[in-house]
Amino acid sequence: MTVRIERDNQVVVITIDREEKLNALDYPTIDALLAQLDLIDSDDSVRAVILTGAGHKAFSAGADIPSLAASIAGGPERALREIVRRGHTLTRRIEEFPKPVIVAVNGLAYGGGCEIVEAAPLAVAAEHATFAKPEITLGFPPPFGGSQRLPRHVGRKRGLEMILTGDPIPAARAAELGLVNTVVPADALLEAGKDLAGRIIRYAPTAVAACLRAVTRGINLPIDEGLAVEAACFAATVPTDGVRTGLRRFLEGRA
């Protein structure tokens, strides 16, 4: 298996388990991640996901280039179908997942690994983690959404510096740029992810899903369109038990 699953109450930890390959993403690994996310999406007892890599060297070194070489050699149409569309499907699934996905970056996050971090709504990083966009050294631009998401996260000029040079940045710089939420010692990484998950899942799942949906769908829209998305997400929560419970607790607290 290229993906390992562990459960901690309402939180599922997904580990990319290819330590000998620096947790590089080949086709079976991408497909396994998508399959696990589908299972988690349909399981109401799971409230949050933590995604990490095996070992301490790498979260993911990105696409497993040797395993993708045949697709590239097959020409543009085959490469688009087998590499780009698959990568876009994975990062879009993570980005739009209705439960919080927290990436715990336990080492280098290069290429596709960095693109997963960009797509995830939340991320924590170990102090020794590094981030890079080395696709340019192979002669092509980021294929898993990185040319679009990274500049939206860190700004056009800073994003282009990473994309055009391929130079790595340390975890502390990634936090300054907003690529990760926080940086912690390596031995505290998973606990930091679980703590963040716990601070979220204490609230109603309908509210959490609505917040994720409102931000993800609205962030790149003009403000008026974004406000319309927000209004629709708010309206969808009004008849739920989560709102009734939250209002009751608030009113009882005031009393």
Side-chain angles (χ1 to χ4, degrees):
M1 289 291 292
T2 59
V3 171
R4 189 171 71 248
I5 307 298
E6 299 171 61
R7 178 111 182 220
D8 187 352
N9 295 318
Q10 295 177 296
V11 179
V12 166
V13 179
I14 302 177
T15 302
I16 304 171
D17 196 9
R18 302 188 75 214
E19 187 175 358
E20 74 286 355
K21 298 286 188 180
L22 294 178
N23 302 317
L25 302 167
D26 60 0
Y27 295 148
T29 302
I30 294 173
D31 293 344
L33 286 169
L34 286 166
Q36 288 299 326
L37 289 171
D38 286 344
L39 290 173
I40 292 167
D41 192 359
S42 62
D43 186 347
D44 291 340
S45 68
V46 178
R47 295 288 316 280
V49 179
I50 296 173
L51 179 58
T52 192
H56 301 286
K57 292 183 179 179
F59 165 64
S60 174
D64 188 340
I65 298 302
S67 73
L68 308 185
S71 298
I72 294 172
E77 289 188 9
R78 181 177 174 185
L80 284 170
R81 181 176 67 253
E82 296 180 356
I83 300 174
V84 177
R85 291 176 188 167
R86 197 184 242 107
H88 283 180
T89 299
L90 176 62
T91 52
R92 180 59 69 90
R93 185 73 166 114
I94 291 169
E95 184 176 54
E96 297 182 346
F97 204 64
K99 303 173 185 183
V101 177
I102 302 166
V103 178
V105 187
N106 55 303
L108 61 86
Y110 285 10
C114 190
E115 286 168 300
I116 288 175
V117 178
E118 296 156 19
L122 299 160
V124 295
E127 291 171 334
H128 70 284
T130 55
F131 302 78
K133 310 293 293 180
E135 293 92 345
I136 195 166
T137 67
L138 301 170
F140 53 77
F144 286 12
S147 67
Q148 302 306 303
R149 291 190 181 94
L150 183 64
R152 284 169 164 82
H153 277 306
V154 306
R156 178 170 173 259
K157 289 180 172 59
R158 288 178 292 196
L160 276 170
E161 182 178 356
M162 289 184 66
I163 291 168
L164 292 175
T165 67
D167 294 341
I169 62 170
R173 179 60 174 161
E176 289 175 4
L177 295 177
L179 191 55
V180 300
N181 294 83
T182 189
V183 178
V184 298
D187 59 3
L189 182 65
L190 272 183
E191 283 306 311
K194 291 177 181 178
D195 175 73
L196 180 55
R199 287 155 48 204
I200 296 168
I201 65 176
R202 58 185 169 174
Y203 300 115
T206 50
V208 172
C211 289
L212 287 167
R213 186 166 57 250
V215 172
T216 300
R217 294 185 181 180
I219 193 168
N220 295 315
L221 296 174
I223 186 64
D224 287 341
E225 294 177 33
L227 290 173
V229 170
E230 178 182 86
C233 292
F234 172 82
T237 65
V238 169
T240 64
D241 289 338
V243 169
R244 286 189 284 268
T245 300
L247 288 174
R248 185 177 67 252
R249 288 175 177 169
F250 178 81
L251 294 172
E252 289 172 352
R254 290 189 65 183

